[in-house]
Amino acid sequence: MISIVIPSYKNHALLVANLKKNSKYFKDHEVIIVNDDPTESIKDVLSEFNAIILIENGQNLGFAGTV
């Protein structure tokens, strides 16, 4: 299985647009979104995507720490 890890910080509209455009390529893969913005949950934003694993960091770890 291939795991796709997508770090996210703030720009949720762009994240959702990207997921919608590329979801056809995610079949048979594990998709993990890591929210690196501890001030705002994106659980509701991702509610339309049922096969995504969401991790919400308690603090901003930066790109390397998040991935």
Side-chain angles (χ1 to χ4, degrees), residues 13-67:
L14 184 59
L15 172 65
V16 170
N18 182 338
L19 291 172
K20 285 180 180 179
K21 184 174 183 178
N22 293 294
S23 63
K24 61 186 172 188
Y25 302 112
F26 296 158
K27 293 177 183 155
D28 302 323
H29 302 305
E30 176 182 56
V31 179
I32 303 167
I33 306 293
V34 184
N35 181 18
D36 209 25
D37 181 6
T39 64
E40 186 177 353
S41 175
I42 61 172
K43 187 176 183 177
D44 292 338
V45 173
L46 298 178
S47 63
E48 66 183 276
F49 304 98
N50 56 4
I52 289 179
I53 298 167
L54 174 63
I55 298 171
E56 298 200 284
N57 289 339
Q59 64 182 25
N60 184 338
L61 301 177
F63 180 80
T66 296
V67 174

